[in-house]
Amino acid sequence: MCRDPPRSASDEEPQMTIATTDKTGARTPEAADVIEGARDRIDALDDRIIGLVQERMAVSAVIQEARISSGGRRVNLSREMEVLGHYRDALGKPGTSLAMTLLELCRGRV
C-alpha cells in the first residue's frame, strides 16, 4: 500500500487560501472572510426582497380584481406613473427600471 507523505499545516493553508480567495476575488484570507460574510447577508436580503415582491404581486392581484369587477380597467396608468416617480426619486434612474420590472410582474395576475 502506497501512502502520501504527511502534510504539515503550512502545506494545506495555501491551498485553502487560494480556494477561498479565488471564490471571492479577494487577495487575503481576511478580505475573503469579510466578503463571504457580506455575501451571506446579501443572500438573506435577497430572500426577503423576493418575499416582499411576491406579497406585492398578491396585493396587486386583489386591487386588479376589485377594479375589473367594478367595471374598471385592469391597469391604472396614473397610479403606475406615481409608482415610477416614487422609485426614480428614491433610487435615481435605475429605480425607474426596477419599478417597471415590478409593475410588469404585478400586471395581469387576476
Side-chain angles (χ1 to χ4, degrees), residues 1 25-27 35-37 57 62 71 82-83 90-92 94-95 98 103:
M1 175 190 291
R27 301 222 174 200
I35 292 168
E36 287 176 355
M57 291 168 64
V62 169
E82 289 176 25
V83 171
L91 302 172
L98 177 60
L103 291 169

Side-chain angles (χ1 to χ4, degrees), residues 60-77:
S60 181
V62 169
I63 292 168
Q64 290 175 47
E65 187 174 322
R67 191 180 301 120
I68 291 168
S69 68
S70 72
R73 298 179 53 141
R74 177 176 53 86
V75 176
N76 181 331
L77 295 178

